[in-house]
Amino acid sequence: MRITGKTRICALIGYPVEHSLSPIMHNAAFQYLGLDYVYVAFNVPPERLGEAVSGIRGLGILGANVTMPHKINVIRYLEELDESARLAGSVNTILNRDGRLIGYTTDGLGALNALKYAGSDPLGKKVVILGAGGASRSISFTLANYARELVILNRTLKRAEELVSDLKRVFGSANIRAKPLSEAVLRNELKDTNILINATSVGMRPNENETPAGRDVLHGDLTVFDIVYDPLETRLLREAKMVGAKTVDGLSMLVHQGAISFEIWTGVKAPIEVMREAALKKIMGKAD
Ligand code: NAP
């Protein structure tokens, strides 16, 4: 990669960012397509967020990804929100259009594209989403008008109910329900479910022996999509494979949400497989 006087900069703003896969993924894509862009990560503590966003304007940085813990707080510093970000109340991508900063969220569409790419289009299907946090919110706002039926299960039922009421305010009569995340509810709901999405953090390292849905509630007609990507094969995905279910991993969502950000900044179609390979190499410890 050769940095020149014309090199455009994209950045990640988060806290911490040292272990992010995004720089590896985006730089591999820029290099593959011969684009004169570079992607760097900035560790920004919460009290410096406003200054960091002003820096995007001041330095003419073309675009940014925003990650934990800034996805909601960054909104107050932007000039404009695209509809995806307005609905989900969260931003993970910024485009600097001549000094006007526009916020987007690509998490929900990234999840939808990951399912489509795997051949499990949720259009007209029954989808069960586990979790009612930030990721679940982005995914459910994308799927609410797309799936035939959406059921949101969460450990804290009140949070799932609030999410469902926000969804109904926007999507009116859409078929969306909230229920507690329990074995009995899972057993009953999953019987006629097509796609199960884990959007909780259950199963994430260092708790990789945990699963949000035990093997005996899963079945072979399901597509099981776990958005957790550390480890890449979670216990949920391992057990889903054992019962003959189709599986989609969290790296797939990470790559697809990154690909949409890439396209917002460059206007060029993202090389999905190049991005996945680069991230995979890093996960396997084979990248610098
Ligand atoms: P979040 O806002 O903190 O939400 C966490 C969710 O997990 C909540 O619904 C919480 O339930 C639930 N939860 C946590 N511990 C639990 C437990 N022991 N039992 C049952 N439920 C539990 O987090 P987030 O930003 O939505 O992220 C969730 C996961 O998705 C993380 O692992 C993150 O790394 C991953 N993620 C992946 C991608 C990707 O591109 N692949 C993108 C975004 C996030 P309560 O409401 O009851 O606390």
Side-chain angles (χ1 to χ4, degrees), residues 131-135 154-156 159 199-202 204 227 229 250 253-254:
N154 198 44
R155 176 177 64 178
T156 311
R159 221 172 157 200
T200 72
S201 45
V202 179
M204 194 171 135
I227 76 162
Y229 57 86
M253 171 168 162
L254 189 79

Side-chain angles (χ1 to χ4, degrees), residues 68 71 107 130-137 139 153-157 159-160 181 198-202 204 210 212 225-230 249-255 257:
M68 302 291 285
K71 285 185 177 187
D107 280 337
L130 311 182
S136 167
R137 207 178 161 83
I139 296 171
L153 311 186
N154 198 44
R155 176 177 64 178
T156 311
L157 177 60
R159 221 172 157 200
L181 175 51
N198 175 37
T200 72
S201 45
V202 179
M204 194 171 135
E210 293 176 5
F225 176 20
D226 197 340
I227 76 162
V228 170
Y229 57 86
D230 182 23
D249 64 41
L251 181 58
S252 188
M253 171 168 162
L254 189 79
V255 169
Q257 62 79 28

Side-chain angles (χ1 to χ4, degrees), residues 233-280:
E233 187 179 72
T234 58
R235 178 174 158 196
L236 175 65
L237 292 186
R238 206 166 49 244
E239 294 185 346
K241 280 180 192 159
M242 286 176 189
V243 301
K246 186 168 179 172
T247 59
V248 183
D249 64 41
L251 181 58
S252 188
M253 171 168 162
L254 189 79
V255 169
H256 281 275
Q257 62 79 28
I260 302 163
S261 303
F262 183 96
E263 289 166 11
I264 288 171
W265 300 323
T266 65
V268 175
K269 190 157 175 45
I272 299 282
E273 288 304 328
V274 170
M275 294 171 83
R276 184 174 169 99
E277 262 318 296
L280 205 53

